[in-house]
Amino acid sequence: MNWQSGLRIGIDVGGTNTDAVLMQRRVVRATYKAATSYNVSDGIIRAIETILAQAGEDVSAVQCVMIGTTQFTNAFVERTHLQRVGIIRTALPATKGLPPLLDWPADIKAAVGGHVAMVPGGYQYDGTSNSALDERAIANAARNFKAAGLRSVAITSMFSPVNGDMELRAEEIVRNEIPDAAVTLSHKIGRLGLLERENAAIMNASLADLAKRVVQAFRDALIKLKINAPFYISQNDGTLMSAAHVEKYPVLTFASGPTNSMRGAVYLSGEQDALVADIGGTTTDLGVLTGGFPRESSMTSDIGGVRTNFRMPDILALALGGGSIIRADGKEPLQIGPQSVGYRITEKALIFGGDTLTATDIAVAAGYADIGDRSRVVGLSADVVRDAVALMHGRIAEGIDRMKTSAEPVPLVLVGGGSILVSQELAGISRLIVPDHAAVANAVGASIAQIGGESEGVYSYAVTGRDAAIALAKQDAVKSAIAAGADPDSVEILDIDEVPLAYVPGGAVRLRVNAAGRLRLTADLQAARP
């Protein structure tokens, strides 16, 4: 049976809620939303049991499970569950004046770093050697890491996305000294910029133990439910990766939550090119859809105060959600957020018998949302309600203006549990769309995600020619997607990014190509099974 005609489960484990959907072809068979449990495995089990019971289906009918999670993002931002990392940079004599962890916040630098080795090595932009790799220095560094009790190592080499051989050789040397080490190679994660790529590698290495625990929790949940189907985890570009890949590269899940919501918005609304507002309990995440995929950020991304350069969606987060606290004492100007009651909205908001005025209370009092007990907000000042409604819509309109690249009106798709906050027309919007099942768009996005691949390199158009260089880059991206588990017949090129390198001779251009295709479910993917 074609897996796409069978049952697929999409789950999004967020910091506030765990959402789940049961999908068959393009039909949403059942949905689930509940507060995220302390034990992630228990929450997943409860979600799957609920949606299968709703649909009257047995676990044997499930053909694939896709999971999105914020566990790794939250751990890094909150400085929890991180491990110390041994850091090796092969780039001397270059980069000596800019050591690793240079601009990291002091608290996270203390939690993660401190053991750094800078050794000769690395390449130039065209893949030629910068200096010979000092293998003895790497072996000495590995022995020092082992003596310090370190079991996670990040290795970065200059221009390694162009030529990763020195990082691969450094890994061999480290494993000779520390056989059980978790080793992160920067060229597997980041892009050409050395410091940002190195930061991403160190971040990833600091999450190595947590990645194994989280993935095992997912695996245990499916085993306990007797679901004998592959499971995949969504990454931040809207595509999927295997559980084994997540254990190696947990940072690739960063920002997968907003990305899943945007992909779910495409699926539920049918809009390929639009703005998306994912309104949750605390924030509104605004993004742009281009050809059905989130617009990629062209800037370095800041995660917990650390700059990185791996692929991330272009997201604008506004401090406005369904649980945002309203302050209106009549003395100071009315204020919404940034504080929020978050997942406690059902006990804190006025409409649920609480004592805190929230954005959801305002929506109910204004008459355009029907949730909770409206009688509890009938006594609110009409001026407060009017001003709060205007402020909420004004804040979203301002965010929309910041995300648009032209003055032309565009569609806006509203998703997330807080989508009830918007009721009025917004400037710059051609039409407002709230699709069915908007509250669980993130889980829908996880369930329909594709397998992606990327290639990046520096090419000399003077030597290779533009057409030939682009053809090679496309070929590499397609191979990458197929290797990750995409059906070869379905892989398509999503975008091509050309950046001329003005100060490099020979007409050098940095080419980055993204490709994606449908998940291939065949015998060679059995390693993905729990």
Side-chain angles (χ1 to χ4, degrees), residues 81-85 111-113 151-152 182 202 205-210:
H81 308 295
L82 303 179
Q83 63 189 111
R84 293 183 303 147
V85 178
V112 170
R151 290 296 180 271
S152 189
I202 297 169
S206 74
L207 294 164
D209 280 350
L210 179 63

Side-chain angles (χ1 to χ4, degrees), residues 187-191 235 237 239 252 296 309-312 451-457 473-474 476-482 484 495 497 511-516:
H187 76 274
K188 298 287 189 178
I189 297 176
R191 291 170 175 165
Q235 55 184 326
D237 64 352
T239 59
L252 296 182
E296 192 173 313
N309 68 353
F310 54 89
R311 58 184 185 266
M312 293 279 280
I451 295 290
E454 182 185 56
S455 71
E456 182 181 20
K474 284 182 176 180
D476 288 344
V478 170
K479 287 181 179 178
S480 176
I482 293 171
D495 60 75
D497 185 26
L511 275 178
R512 187 169 70 239
V513 179
N514 289 322

Side-chain angles (χ1 to χ4, degrees), residues 60 80 88 122 128 137 210 226 245 250 296 307 319 332-333 348 354 388 507 527:
S60 61
T80 58
I88 296 175
T128 58
L210 179 63
K226 296 183 171 57
H245 200 68
E296 192 173 313
R307 292 182 302 130
E332 299 290 335
K348 288 291 188 179

Side-chain angles (χ1 to χ4, degrees), residues 432-486:
L432 198 63
I433 304 166
V434 183
D436 292 339
H437 309 297
V440 291
N442 48 6
V444 172
S447 75
I448 55 94
Q450 296 179 301
I451 295 290
E454 182 185 56
S455 71
E456 182 181 20
V458 176
Y459 298 82
S460 173
Y461 282 1
V463 175
T464 309
R466 180 176 183 273
D467 290 345
I470 291 176
L472 287 172
K474 284 182 176 180
Q475 186 179 61
D476 288 344
V478 170
K479 287 181 179 178
S480 176
I482 293 171

